[in-house]
Amino acid sequence: MRKTRTLLAALAVGILTSTAALAGDVRIMWYSDGVEGEVLKDLLDRFMKENPGINVVLDNVSYTVVREQLPVQLEAGDGPDIARVTNLKAMSQHWLDLRPLVADAAYWDTNFGAQADWMRPDGSNQISGFMTQITLAGGFANKTLFDQAGIALPGKDATWDDWARASKQVAESQQVPFAMALDRSGHRLSGPILAYGSNYIGADGKPAPLDDGAKAFIEKFVGWVGDGTMSKDVWVSAAGSTYRAGADDFINGQLAYYYSGSWQVPNFSTKIGSNFDWVATGSPCGPANCTGMTGGAGLVAVKYTKNPTEVAKVMDYLAREDIVKEFSERTLFLPAHKGVVEKGLDFKTDDAQAKAALNIFVGATGSLSDIARKLPGWFWSDTYYAALVTRVSQAAAGEMPVAEAYTRIDADIAAKVKDSGR
């Protein structure tokens, strides 16, 4: 097994240049949902002019590379110097402790402390990095399609059934391929599952078996895929736990309703433009609540770096209040920096739809359930998400009955827990 892992690591390292070998070099593995890669490059160019002894190399890669290749590199004791990742807690043993390296640890604790536990080993006070943005899952409606169909947008407390019914009427009226789509993601699926009253976290802190709330929504979701209400393409076009978004279908006007999250706002602002009117809707309600899922991408330092001092300087720069503010305003991201949030932002867009959508997401943070707030810092979240995606997609594709998918999900998670030795 170790030999196989080493070979995989060698392959991954061959695909991407890994840890910086030259003194003063800092290599960042970065993925983008929208324009944030361009903004970061501009900020880093300015950093290098101010710090001519440090050369920062920005590797723009796909999210799939971060999810699938980076963990293999890290297991081999390799990787970039800094990485933008979402699987923060489960890989926290690989992050560098910046506390003794940054210029002012108290500044980090004050401004990024609320999410610090999401990315550090349990029980430690490590500074691993900071969140590039806070995200919130939620829906988007193609208002133009609803208006053309003469169907009113469901209201603030509308349920998942309400949105499914209305969206299907719109799709049939306007002859678009699918009424709804939900990203092929365990994180995205978890919002409605929690709204149906589920709790993944057992009394011992380890994963609990699927409960009735989870089974109720999964059965409903698979049924929607089967009757054409929910886009089948998004969920059956990939294997295993591979992520696939439905954003392109929404951007192209092929969906009445799309469940994704706040990170799509800059993407839609740039790519939809004036093609049609769209609105953010918050998360539909289930029997228990109207929660979405919070989370975000963190920028973390990797402990296998050969240049920790230079890495800390780059991280200090990117975490500066003025830099976080500029990055957030230009990318239309919701910042994690306490000082920036308290002083407010002036998002750099003339798109009234984008500004309205951001405000909807800010307001929706009040609807998050306690479990939704806990999951980003729970060690087993990604294990749960991966099992959900793999088996629910198989059920959606007709490869197994829903009841078998439940059994497989529980078995997959139990195997991961056993193999971990935790």
Side-chain angles (χ1 to χ4, degrees):
M1 181 65 184
R2 183 64 186 175
K3 185 176 181 181
T4 301
R5 183 178 291 172
T6 302
L7 288 172
L8 287 171
L11 176 61
V13 172
I15 294 172
L16 291 173
T17 304
S18 59
T19 304
L22 300 176
D25 273 10
V26 174
R27 186 173 292 275
I28 301 177
M29 181 184 284
W30 183 271
Y31 77 92
S32 293
D33 291 307
V35 301
E36 64 266 36
E38 300 166 25
V39 176
L40 181 69
K41 184 180 184 305
D42 181 34
L43 296 173
L44 290 173
D45 285 345
R46 282 152 49 184
F47 169 83
M48 286 187 284
K49 286 181 180 177
E50 296 173 14
N51 300 271
I54 301 176
N55 179 46
V56 184
V57 181
L58 184 63
D59 288 323
N60 282 290
V61 302
S62 70
Y63 182 62
T64 300
V65 169
V66 176
R67 281 195 60 86
E68 298 179 4
Q69 293 183 20
L70 178 60
V72 178
Q73 293 183 22
L74 296 175
E75 283 296 317
D78 219 318
D81 300 292
I82 297 171
R84 185 187 190 212
V85 299
T86 56
N87 187 6
L88 293 158
K89 191 71 167 185
M91 296 197 296
S92 59
Q93 73 272 22
H94 300 295
W95 310 147
L96 175 69
D97 186 2
L98 292 165
R99 184 170 292 278
L101 299 170
V102 294
D104 183 0
Y107 166 87
W108 284 74
D109 291 338
T110 298
N111 290 293
F112 300 110
Q115 291 81 34
D117 190 53
W118 293 8
M119 62 187 80
R120 62 188 175 198
D122 286 339
S124 80
N125 73 337
Q126 178 169 311
I127 296 175
S128 301
F130 67 95
M131 302 301 291
T132 59
Q133 87 269 39
I134 296 297
T135 61
L136 191 67
F140 298 92
N142 183 322
K143 187 174 182 298
T144 295
L145 287 178
F146 273 84
D147 289 346
Q148 290 174 173
I151 305 295
L153 289 168
K156 179 179 179 293
D157 296 323
T159 65
W160 276 95
D161 286 330
D162 293 335
W163 275 104
R165 185 164 45 251
S167 298
K168 193 166 187 179
Q169 291 174 334
V170 171
E172 290 171 351
S173 167
Q174 300 304 298
Q175 299 183 347
V176 295
F178 294 104
M180 306 169 76
L182 183 148
D183 290 336
R184 192 180 194 273
S185 158
H187 179 276
R188 229 71 74 243
L189 195 63
S190 291
I193 285 176
L194 297 191
Y196 272 65
S198 184
N199 181 7
Y200 301 163
I201 306 173
D204 60 357
K206 292 181 180 179
L210 283 178
D211 55 26
D212 290 343
K215 292 176 181 178
F217 184 77
I218 291 171
E219 183 177 0
K220 185 179 292 288
F221 177 77
V222 172
W224 282 337
V225 173
D227 69 16
T229 300
M230 190 71 68
S231 172
K232 186 175 183 178
D233 291 352
V234 173
W235 277 77
V236 303
S237 60
S241 60
T242 301
Y243 172 78
R244 182 170 184 255
D248 287 346
D249 294 330
F250 187 77
I251 289 166
N252 293 329
Q254 301 298 296
L255 286 172
Y257 186 77
Y258 174 40
Y259 193 75
S260 188
S262 57
W263 58 92
Q264 296 289 5
V265 172
N267 193 30
F268 293 167
S269 179
T270 301
K271 295 180 180 178
I272 295 175
S274 59
N275 292 342
F276 60 85
D277 293 334
W278 57 275
V279 294
T281 68
S283 286
C285 299
N289 53 56
C290 309
T291 193
M293 279 291 295
T294 189
L299 194 66
V300 291
V302 176
K303 72 179 182 182
Y304 311 118
T305 179
K306 294 180 174 64
N307 301 311
T309 301
E310 288 82 0
V311 165
K313 286 183 178 179
V314 173
M315 294 293 284
D316 261 338
Y317 169 79
L318 293 175
R320 254 171 42 190
E321 183 170 329
D322 60 320
I323 297 298
V324 171
K325 184 175 189 293
E326 180 180 345
F327 177 82
S328 301
E329 290 177 341
R330 291 175 63 185
T331 57
L332 310 186
F333 281 172
L334 307 179
H337 189 291
K338 185 173 183 286
V340 172
V341 172
E342 289 176 348
K343 294 173 185 175
L345 295 100
D346 178 19
F347 290 110
K348 306 305 180 186
T349 178
D350 294 326
D351 188 341
Q353 295 184 131
K355 285 188 174 181
L358 290 168
N359 287 328
I360 291 291
F361 278 107
V362 171
T365 58
S367 299
L368 286 170
S369 72
D370 289 342
I371 302 300
R373 295 178 192 276
K374 289 178 182 176
L375 286 178
W378 186 47
F379 181 86
W380 300 106
S381 288
D382 264 60
T383 296
Y384 223 107
Y385 299 156
L388 283 170
V389 170
T390 301
R391 301 307 181 181
V392 171
S393 65
Q394 288 178 313
E399 296 174 10
M400 66 175 64
V402 176
E404 183 179 346
Y406 301 153
T407 303
R408 296 287 188 94
I409 289 167
D410 287 341
D412 291 347
I413 294 169
K416 285 283 189 182
V417 172
K418 183 179 179 180
D419 289 346
S420 74
R422 289 174 66 97

